[in-house]
Amino acid sequence: MAKEGNIVMLGARKYKLSNWDDRSVGGEESLRLLFRRLVRGKVQLDTTGLSCHSDLHFEQCLANKPVIIDKNASTVYIPSYEAKSEYKLKPYARKEDETAMKLVTPVRILHGNISPPSCDFIHQVPAVIFSSGGFTGNVFHEFNEIIIPLFLTCYHFQSRVQFVITDFKPWWVEKYSRVLSHLSSPDVLNPVNNGSVHCFPGAVLGLRYHDNLALNYTEIPGGYSMLDFKQFLRESFMLKMKHVSEMNRQKPVLMLLSRRGAREFLNEDKMVKMMEALGFQVIAATPNQPLNLDTFSGLVNSCSVIVGAHGAGLTNAVFLPSKAVLAHVLSEGREGTKSKMVCAGRATSRMRKENDARPDF
């Protein structure tokens, strides 16, 4: 038996899962206490070692006892002395959207008196299983359904988790590598390519979700707001500006989010001239700009104002410094489009308000 970092390689040998205990996670909080922050009713979790929650937007299961994940993460085994039970979930936080969920592979959970496969690798930290399927490729959905839920689910573990990503997209993992590495010390695990059976002292299946671009201070896991999330982003992307007052420029910088096709500004050239006449240094960000997220986040962080028509690009306002201004331009259209814009308007309004104020508890 050999060790690599916090992983124990076992080959084909069987491992007695009962040898695991909470101390393998380390730190002041035990594994059980860390899991308790993610569940309101703790009796089932403490009694059976498994607790599942489902609502309109997401479903999540927590196992605070040893789990075995098969070679492609399609099945998670949770052995116990109880009667065998089976549950399926799709680990992506947009359960109400049939189109998105068709792009997410279900994970089967087998719990109770079962015969799991032998472990090839033993990990000393719990697994967090989620999908990079769904609507990835759209920055709003990437933040709304994965990045913010990941922060809510994992931040209190202090990087002591192992990400197991189903529907694995290498480009997505590369794009958000800074976020992933700040929430999880081990490299992410692609179970399909890895082709081994992995065993963990516990697991979180699916991600906690509050609302569109929302972190609600009083909801599970409790204590996090948009302020905390933005501070996390500043640390992850090494952003320099925390507040607009820190900017030492002759002219404040305004970013105009340029679109092509739907909701395109037809008088964009005139808008830029007017903005410059008002004293702004204008950056026109176009959809085809070859900038990675590391570079673009720094560019947004240097701005005092962002102006853009309704669309996913406005999500980049999460990188703005405090007291910066977000101008969200809404256009009239079909009734369904209006409804979506109202929802997005509420989300950006909430993000702007939480940018400057935290509830006082």
Side-chain angles (χ1 to χ4, degrees), residues 35 42 58 85 121 319:
F35 273 96
K42 302 173 179 62
F58 78 101
S85 61
F121 294 90
F319 300 116

Side-chain angles (χ1 to χ4, degrees), residues 193-235:
N193 281 356
N194 184 271
S196 301
V197 176
H198 291 260
C199 298
F200 298 87
V204 179
L205 297 93
L207 303 176
R208 175 63 56 170
Y209 179 87
H210 288 173
D211 202 346
N212 281 338
L213 297 181
L215 297 92
N216 296 331
Y217 196 78
T218 57
E219 287 191 29
I220 292 173
Y224 297 138
S225 71
M226 182 58 73
L227 283 172
D228 300 299
F229 180 65
K230 291 190 69 171
Q231 178 59 31
F232 166 75
L233 291 179
R234 277 193 291 271
E235 294 170 357

Side-chain angles (χ1 to χ4, degrees), residues 1-9 121-124 162 186:
M1 182 172 64
K3 291 187 178 181
E4 284 191 359
N6 65 342
I7 303 173
V8 181
M9 297 182 294
F121 294 90
I122 297 290
H123 299 257
Q124 302 304 315
Q162 169 73 64

Side-chain angles (χ1 to χ4, degrees), residues 5 30 47 63 105 138 147 177 228-229 275 287-288 298-299 316 350:
S30 71
T47 303
T105 303
N138 177 299
I147 301 303
S177 59
D228 300 299
F229 180 65
M275 292 166 177
N288 57 357
L299 191 60
N316 290 293
R350 182 190 302 117

Side-chain angles (χ1 to χ4, degrees), residues 276-298:
E276 290 174 340
L278 291 171
F280 289 101
Q281 176 187 337
V282 180
I283 299 173
T286 59
N288 57 357
Q289 272 184 305
L291 297 178
N292 60 34
L293 191 59
D294 292 1
T295 303
F296 192 67
S297 62

Side-chain angles (χ1 to χ4, degrees), residues 48 50 65 78-87 109-114:
T48 68
L50 176 67
K65 59 169 54 182
I78 310 172
S80 76
Y81 295 109
E82 299 177 59
K84 178 181 176 180
S85 61
E86 182 173 336
Y87 185 73
I109 301 171
L110 293 179
H111 175 239
N113 189 8
I114 55 177

Side-chain angles (χ1 to χ4, degrees), residues 23-62:
R23 291 171 296 178
S24 61
V25 180
E28 295 181 2
E29 289 187 289
S30 71
L31 177 60
R32 292 184 186 276
L33 291 177
L34 290 166
F35 273 96
R36 282 179 179 177
R37 284 197 63 177
L38 294 173
V39 63
R40 201 172 296 281
K42 302 173 179 62
V43 175
Q44 183 182 10
L45 183 63
D46 290 342
T47 303
T48 68
L50 176 67
S51 177
C52 294
H53 171 84
S54 179
D55 68 14
L56 174 65
H57 302 293
F58 78 101
E59 51 190 345
Q60 184 180 64
C61 285
L62 311 174

